[in-house]
Amino acid sequence: MKRPLVLFSTFLLSLCLSNAWGDVTLPAIFGNHMVLQQKKSVAVWGWAEPGEAIKVKGDWQWFAASTKADADGKWSVKIRTPKAGGPHTLTITGNNEIVLDDVLMGEVWICSGQSNMEFTPRWLGDESNLKTVAESANPQIRLFEVANEISTTPRQDCEGSWTLCEPETVMDFSAVGYYFGKELNEALDVPIGLISSNWGGTPAETWTRREALLPFEQFAEKLDYLKDPVTASSKLKATFEQAMVNWENELAALDEGTRDGWQTPGLDESDWTDMEQPGKWSQSETELKDVDGIVWFRRTTNLPPSWAKHDLELHLGPVDDIDTVWVNGVKIGTTTDSWIVPRKYLIPASVLKVGKNTIAVRIIDNQGDGGFASDNADDMRIGPAGADVKACATLAKTWKYKISHQGRIPNAPQSTLRIDQNSPTTLYNGMLAPLIPFRIAGAIWYQGEANRNESILYRELFPAMISNWRQDWGQGKFPFYFVQIAPFEYNDSFSSGGLREAQMMTLDKLDNVGMAVTMDIGEAKDIHPKNKVDVGNRLARWALAKTYKKKGIVYSGPLYKSMKIEGDKIRLSFDYVDGGLMAKDGDLTDFTIAGEDRKFVKANAVIDGGTIVVSSPAVKNPAAVRYGWADWCQPNLFNSAGLPASSFRTDDWPL
């Protein structure tokens, strides 16, 4: 797991910068075993005593690059790197001397995004990944993991270090990043440096600089708060509290437990069911296995007299997705904005009783897994505030549960008062700014799920983020290759087809970008598909064909280009046909067609050369076709290279 979240305040940052640097120091991105981008002018920077003379020299150079630290102790030089190879040494000299050993020249890539980029072979755990990792030792690949950090202002440094590519280091590195780098190394026969900077569940706006977000009115309130929390907090607090009241009123209309007071001590539990905890209910063999909605849990625990006289802490571990807790009928708290963060609630002594105390937890799950999501029984406990596990009473026992509502629940309001990894700019400041301007070949990106219900916004937000990175890195339009999100059974009112469409639109908005399609590797019940090998391979295809100009590499599956109405049929044309279209495992699936009434029905689709002809007896005058336009589907259109087609629609009707 990554290091815990740390919020760097402007005060602490300015305090650090006010101190004299003394000895020459370097940011973490410079270290032994690193890879520098070959045959480029690369920046080397750091800190020293103001006015201190600095020299930087690689063992491949005749002369050192020289500069002086400025009034704030900062210094920076540029040096020219040789062709791929090594190992080399890099020496930085001021009042002291730093010698970096085992430095390779090669190709350096940023690997960023949310959990599908973050997921490691250890987390994936399946046999194919573990077998690959066991054979992963390769001194030509180097890995740098950026520690999870948030910040309200751009940080100058991050936590991390370069490591060799070995089974133990790969096990805890981005699986997609590793497979991408492995493909490049095998095809190019040069060293590869991979910089992993990612955080699960995060939206694109948190990876974007403040100035790039100012044109988006959706972020204005939060940006104002981040700039001046004291002034903005009272207004935002009142707005959030009213939003919570409105949301609870909406819940009451759906939730039998809220209406009938299932938190009440002494409630008749004769029709409730036993379930061992902790455990995600979607992974259980109970009636909850396929439930999205509201489930209540209850447990009565005995407290000794000495405990009942003092405030206690209730620990529940992570809860997927939203929980509200009552103790003895008194509401203790609600967590609405993270299924990852372990729950910890303070129970006032005034609520507690000697002997039996009833804990009730209402859990709301809108998609995927649900329930008490920890794998560790120690995460569920009650005890004195601040006490360690051994001093607490375990709650990892049998609980009673009852389903209160099945189906979609209105999204809970998110407090804009909270500054976390989902706040605009915080990960750009904490996990990208410290890397700039370290010379890179390009970036790969796997994200989108966190913005899925904002697909129209994403059409502009995602290109703005990419342009922001390129502007700040100062390397022109460097390659940026991204993964289109895979189908998944979200079970809500938003179609992931809209987000995939926004991602595909980016191909037309920006130069030097590419999209790896994953329509064929989604898993209905797991938003983290285990097949990361094909993801890395498809990203590498884009890089090898477009960045490194390798011939004969097909790098994209079919992408919709145009349509033509032919009587009661529609003919579709595609880019990236590459030798022809094909349907895997039978006839084409997941095509729908509609007339001007906009009512889509299942369609017949037939390959005709490099085109597809779509029709339905139910639609005599067709107007539009859609393909793979669902949260969960397993469409089967590919090109002859075996790369899948993206989902698409021919219409532009409002979503």
Side-chain angles (χ1 to χ4, degrees), residues 120-179:
T120 68
R122 190 184 303 277
W123 294 352
L124 292 168
D126 66 299
E127 290 185 9
S128 62
N129 279 295
L130 297 178
K131 182 177 184 298
T132 301
V133 169
E135 302 167 351
S136 64
N138 186 343
Q140 292 288 293
I141 300 177
R142 308 294 173 84
L143 313 173
F144 186 96
E145 179 86 16
V146 179
N148 281 3
E149 298 281 359
I150 69 170
S151 180
T152 57
T153 56
R155 294 188 65 203
Q156 296 190 53
D157 201 3
C158 62
E159 189 175 344
S161 62
W162 286 96
T163 60
L164 300 178
C165 180
E166 297 172 339
E168 194 55 35
T169 56
V170 171
M171 186 69 79
D172 295 309
F173 194 76
S174 163
V176 170
Y178 167 68
Y179 293 129

Side-chain angles (χ1 to χ4, degrees), residues 26-75:
L26 299 171
I29 193 63
F30 292 96
N32 297 329
H33 315 303
M34 71 177 174
V35 179
L36 292 178
Q37 185 63 33
Q38 64 166 327
K39 297 187 291 187
K40 297 292 183 183
S41 175
V42 305
V44 181
W45 70 94
W47 305 275
E49 197 75 31
E52 185 175 345
I54 308 296
K55 292 184 178 181
V56 178
K57 184 179 181 295
D59 63 4
W60 62 91
Q61 295 177 290
W62 285 101
F63 303 104
S66 300
T67 188
K68 286 187 177 182
D70 66 17
D72 294 322
K74 301 176 185 177
W75 59 266

